[in-house]
Amino acid sequence: MSEREDEDEVREPELRKSGVRVPDVQEHEARDQLYEARDQLYEARDQLYEQLAAYVGRAAATGGRGKDPVNEPMIRHWCEAMGDTSAAYRGPDPVAPPTMLQAWTMGGLSGHTDGTGRSAAYDEMFALLDGGGYTSVVATDCEQEYLRPLRPGDRITFDTVIESVSRRKTTKLGTGYFVTTRTDVRADGEPAGTHRFRILKYRPAPRRKPVGPALRPRPVINRDNAGFWAGVAEHRLLVQRCTDCATLRLPWLPGCNACGGAEWDTVEAGGKGTVFSHVVMHHPPFPAFGPTGEGGPYAVALIELAEGVRIVSNVIGVPYDKVRVGMPVHLEFLRTDPDLELPVFRASEGG
């Protein structure tokens, strides 16, 4: 992400003062010099960063307390939502899934009402960003480190610090600053884990009129799911099967969430299923998802396959407002553009 793309334009007079000739666009070497001079000017002008950097190391929350102790009902709900059937999370001596670490620190819709919410320093830093025009926010990633298992009855306390603020960056969303906070979590006073959360606080980039037809987002293909997408290319919906306990899993994972086994093979789904749940997307509009390019509304469904696993996909063949829970559907493969084909589900006749 280069600051050369920063939406603030450096005017010609400023560049001439820097001693760099304004070149013709075809003169690549001179253009690189132009960009270098522009970056130097941006660096000098980024006074907001110096103000933001002063908040690094200051507390974002101090003496935070979890609203509830670690408890079995929340563990059960989490596992049901995630489809995680590991025996470690149930039985006479269960532990909480490690990835629930942040859940025990969250204040819910009402927030932390006991005075342990965000600090004045945190609010001041964000007021600076808002005042500079960086009013939009998007979560970008999180990192967690686990130091000890959490068990029902553990009382959670935590402190959060502003760990870092990046220099101004430009992304497709717009120009802004990445802000990272680190939360140190304790269970009954003992260190239990660390949660880092990074957001981009940005000024939205001007919307550009798309050139050509709108395309659906490309799937992220990695070493853990490449086999799934290879199957889609062959018009096969492949489901992972643990070779230790025969548990099926979808989406694909590097290990079995039932027994922890690392070895697996695949079975091909028959293609029949039902709508387990669904939502209707109204905003923002994505033209590529609308059958006539209008961008919505459109239905996104969680399909339960006959094999017992579930997959998120689109339901086609019926209007978005006719999709319902329990509707029978069958698998098809939809070519959305010359470079992308996706598994979708068509409402079965009489459904």
Side-chain angles (χ1 to χ4, degrees):
M1 292 174 290
S2 171
E3 294 200 13
R4 294 175 180 177
E5 300 172 2
D6 196 300
E7 63 184 359
D8 292 330
E9 295 181 2
V10 175
R11 303 302 179 194
E12 228 176 86
E14 292 176 278
L15 293 171
R16 293 190 186 281
K17 288 178 184 177
S18 71
V20 177
R21 179 175 60 87
V22 179
D24 182 86
V25 292
Q26 300 300 319
E27 299 176 22
H28 299 295
E29 183 176 350
R31 185 177 60 186
D32 287 344
Q33 294 177 21
L34 177 93
Y35 284 147
E36 183 179 351
R38 189 167 87 173
D39 286 347
Q40 292 173 357
L41 289 169
Y42 284 147
E43 194 80 14
R45 284 208 309 244
D46 193 5
Q47 297 177 353
L48 179 57
Y49 170 74
E50 301 302 329
Q51 294 177 281
L52 297 172
Y55 287 90
V56 173
R58 298 181 65 179
T62 303
R65 294 187 293 274
K67 281 194 165 183
D68 299 286
V70 177
N71 61 85
E72 292 186 57
M74 284 296 293
I75 294 172
R76 183 177 68 252
H77 294 323
W78 176 280
C79 290
E80 287 179 356
M82 298 299 175
D84 196 333
T85 58
S86 173
Y89 309 141
R90 49 192 167 85
D93 186 27
V95 299
T99 49
M100 286 188 75
L101 182 69
Q102 186 192 18
W104 309 111
T105 69
M106 298 173 74
L109 292 176
S110 60
H112 288 282
T113 56
D114 57 358
T116 62
R118 295 183 315 206
S119 68
Y122 187 88
D123 289 337
E124 288 170 10
M125 183 181 68
F126 274 75
L128 279 174
L129 286 161
D130 289 340
Y134 304 96
T135 54
S136 296
V137 63
V138 63
T140 63
D141 65 280
C142 69
E143 302 171 12
Q144 292 185 336
E145 179 183 6
Y146 312 118
L147 301 178
R148 85 153 173 85
L150 297 179
R151 292 183 168 82
D154 283 342
R155 289 280 179 181
I156 300 301
T157 55
F158 60 93
D159 296 303
T160 303
V161 65
I162 302 167
E163 189 170 65
S164 67
V165 179
S166 76
R167 291 192 176 274
R168 186 170 54 199
K169 303 290 183 182
T170 295
T171 72
K172 288 185 178 180
L173 288 174
T175 298
Y177 300 83
F178 288 93
V179 178
T180 303
T181 54
R182 186 191 77 244
T183 299
D184 297 315
V185 181
R186 297 176 297 277
D188 292 335
E190 298 179 5
T194 298
H195 176 86
R196 283 182 174 83
F197 191 64
R198 186 174 293 109
I199 63 170
L200 172 64
K201 196 83 163 77
Y202 67 100
R203 180 169 56 232
R207 289 187 177 274
R208 295 189 178 98
K209 188 175 181 180
V211 178
L215 301 179
R216 289 203 183 195
R218 309 292 96 174
V220 176
I221 300 177
N222 54 41
R223 64 182 181 180
D224 292 329
N225 66 11
F228 173 83
W229 290 106
V232 169
E234 299 173 352
H235 286 191
R236 303 169 66 212
L237 186 62
L238 298 179
V239 179
Q240 281 182 309
R241 177 176 58 190
C242 176
T243 55
D244 290 335
C245 70
T247 298
L248 300 180
R249 62 182 188 262
L250 190 70
W252 284 31
L253 296 170
C256 179
N257 55 12
C259 73
E263 302 301 321
W264 52 271
D265 59 12
T266 62
V267 296
E268 183 175 355
K272 291 184 178 181
T274 57
V275 175
F276 183 82
S277 180
H278 70 96
V279 296
V280 175
M281 301 297 295
H282 292 269
H283 184 81
F286 287 104
F289 286 87
T292 60
E294 76 281 4
Y298 55 91
V300 178
L302 181 62
I303 306 298
E304 184 163 78
L305 300 177
E307 290 76 12
V309 293
R310 299 170 188 163
I311 182 173
V312 176
S313 185
N314 291 123
V315 176
I316 63 174
V318 293
Y320 70 88
D321 56 353
K322 299 299 182 183
V323 177
R324 57 180 175 78
V325 172
M327 172 181 283
V329 293
H330 61 270
L331 174 68
E332 289 189 6
F333 291 89
L334 174 68
R335 182 164 293 282
T336 62
D337 60 66
D339 300 318
L340 183 63
E341 198 164 13
L342 296 171
V344 296
F345 291 83
R346 181 175 293 276
S348 301
E349 283 190 38

